[in-house]
Amino acid sequence: MTVRVRMAPSPTGMLHIGGVRTFLFNWLFARGRDGECLLRIENTDTSREVEEAVEQIERSLYWLGIDWDGETTFQLDRLERAGEEARRLVSEGSAYDDEGAIRIRMPDEGVTGWEDAIKGHIEFPNVELEDVVLVRSDGRPTYNFASPLEDWLDGITHVVRGDDHVSNTPKQLHVLQALGAEPPVYAHVPSVFGEDGRKLSKRHGAISVDEFRASGYVPEALMNFLALLGWAPDGETTIMSADELVERFTLERVGSSPATFDYAKLDWMNGVYLRALPADEYASRLVGYLRDQGLEWAEDRVRAAAPLVQEKIARFDEFPAFAGFLFHDVEPDRELLDLRILGFAETALERTEPWSAASLEATLKRLCDDLGEKPRTVYLPIRVAVTGSRISPGLYESLELIGREASLARIRAARGVA
RNA sequence: GCCCCCAUCGACUAGCGGCCUAGGUCACCACCCUUUCAAGGUGGCAGCACGGGUUCGAAUCCCGUUGGGGGCACCA
């Protein structure tokens, strides 16, 4: 039987990173088995924001590299079918009218259980099960009816969802049984916590895919990181391409305990991916990122600066602070300037020919020798004067990029204001 | 309150009865490299929640406790 799963977000707002991780598991599972992965919007409630939310969800998944088969479907589109099925259940006696709503009859003895692909055997005493409402008195189906009904209609073989749905499962199992449907395999994935051990929320920084994107993370890194939250192919491998993840992913190896989102590790991983990018690819992505952020910096200069920062920053959003001096004037901290050294530096640099990183290096090293000072002593004031910070890309390359005139102008300005 | 789930270094995890004086990665610390910051290299710190069992032998199995999470809607 062909595997078929669904990603079923509710269009209430931004796609949450925990939910994305659940969708990623669905996708990895389906793609690794020649299966299908559907995108189904669970909107039993009409809302004006549905349109935008759906767009945001699709864009987020697309950016991450998670695709789906066929058109995006909407639960609301099957409202009539849901009504028909509910009436059928009433006529068959497994459901009944209750003040205009339709409820399903739940057994009140015994237990309802299933073999969860992630958590193992789970069962609930039937006494705990209420006669859940299938269709509201206004005719709209409830989630606990619409969701299993659609799973059946869509031929879903595996329901991979957040474990906050565990207690809905016995109810849905009975709905399926009343419908005459074969139940899918259920796999409940544990939730993701924020760094304070509590549920992920705004407080924890980036939370939606859009925010991660704006923070300068690349999709490959985010996917890799997300996959490793609650899943591991073995105890050793950490860096894996999408293809490798697809190839190695199994539901059996998804852990059953919740995982904490670790931004520091994500940053590290993003840096790994960034550094591994071919130089021109890196430059293109950096240009694209800055453009997305609304920074109108000259593309050729951004491209020229790219190699200087590739080994240095872990996220693209660090670029403006780290290399912004290439695009605008700086305000050096006077405390860090050394007028005597700057004076000698200005003289030495004025005579440097050609103005290239190599000859600048020769010039500055000679200057160190002449002054009898260590490079760190000589370079700091120059770096601060020219880049405005004690932390920057390589000094020679930075000087080269800024150019002779601008470099000297900044050094003179520093001498003047100091 | 009731029901369900979970429990290995600070974090993500490997471990599915002996290979474990518990391995890898991030973070952290030290040192090396070095024009700053990174990157890289080397080394280090650090964990099986607790209590009972079962067994020749338990991180691994069972029970309980504690702690965390989820659910108990004509929300999804």
Side-chain angles (χ1 to χ4, degrees), chain A residues 386-408:
Chain A
V386 174
T387 74
S389 169
R390 55 196 309 170
I391 301 170
S392 79
L395 222 209
Y396 319 130
E397 293 79 6
S398 295
L399 287 169
E400 178 188 88
L401 249 188
I402 292 177
R404 185 197 300 274
E405 294 315 312
S407 295
L408 288 172

Side-chain angles (χ1 to χ4, degrees), chain A residues 121-276:
Chain A
H121 184 76
I122 300 178
E123 62 178 34
F124 286 76
N126 288 336
V127 239
E128 301 295 324
L129 271 31
E130 307 261 299
D131 284 359
V132 303
V133 170
L134 265 27
V135 178
R136 303 174 173 94
S137 39
D138 67 2
R140 286 152 50 224
T142 60
Y143 165 76
N144 274 317
F145 182 49
S147 188
L149 171 65
E150 289 211 290
D151 289 338
W152 176 46
L153 263 23
D154 289 335
I156 299 301
T157 60
H158 299 254
V159 170
V160 183
R161 57 181 9 173
D163 72 357
D164 49 329
H165 287 296
V166 166
S167 57
N168 286 323
T169 308
K171 301 172 192 168
Q172 298 179 183
L173 243 14
H174 281 103
V175 168
L176 255 10
Q177 191 180 45
L179 248 17
E182 197 62 36
V185 171
Y186 287 96
H188 289 95
V189 331
S191 41
V192 179
F193 291 161
E195 286 174 320
D196 53 3
R198 325 191 76 219
K199 274 186 78 175
L200 229 33
S201 73
K202 276 289 175 196
R203 260 207 332 285
H204 305 289
I207 189 76
S208 72
V209 172
D210 284 346
E211 285 170 310
F212 282 98
R213 181 179 185 171
S215 296
Y217 291 103
V218 289
E220 302 95 310
L222 188 54
M223 176 186 281
N224 192 158
F225 177 78
L226 250 22
L228 253 20
L229 270 189
W231 174 80
D234 53 52
E236 318 291 309
T237 320
T238 52
I239 301 297
M240 284 168 280
S241 66
D243 285 345
E244 192 173 357
L245 290 172
V246 164
E247 187 186 322
R248 305 187 66 169
F249 183 82
T250 60
L251 289 172
E252 291 66 38
R253 289 195 68 87
V254 172
S256 43
S257 50
T260 302
F261 200 100
D262 182 355
Y263 290 89
K265 187 165 186 175
L266 207 212
D267 281 359
W268 164 77
M269 193 173 280
N270 201 59
V272 169
Y273 276 89
L274 248 29
R275 273 174 258 122

Side-chain angles (χ1 to χ4, degrees), chain A residues 44-81:
Chain A
T44 42
D45 202 351
T46 332
S47 148
R48 291 212 188 81
E49 292 184 285
V50 167
E51 206 67 20
E52 281 170 34
V54 170
E55 240 172 69
Q56 194 267 348
I57 289 165
E58 293 183 329
R59 188 183 44 203
S60 296
L61 292 175
Y62 182 80
W63 179 75
L64 251 184
I66 297 176
D67 61 353
W68 55 96
D69 299 295
E71 296 290 305
T72 302
T73 61
F74 297 82
Q75 207 157 62
L76 216 54
D77 295 345
R78 297 216 262 230
L79 191 142
E80 275 184 42
R81 179 66 188 270

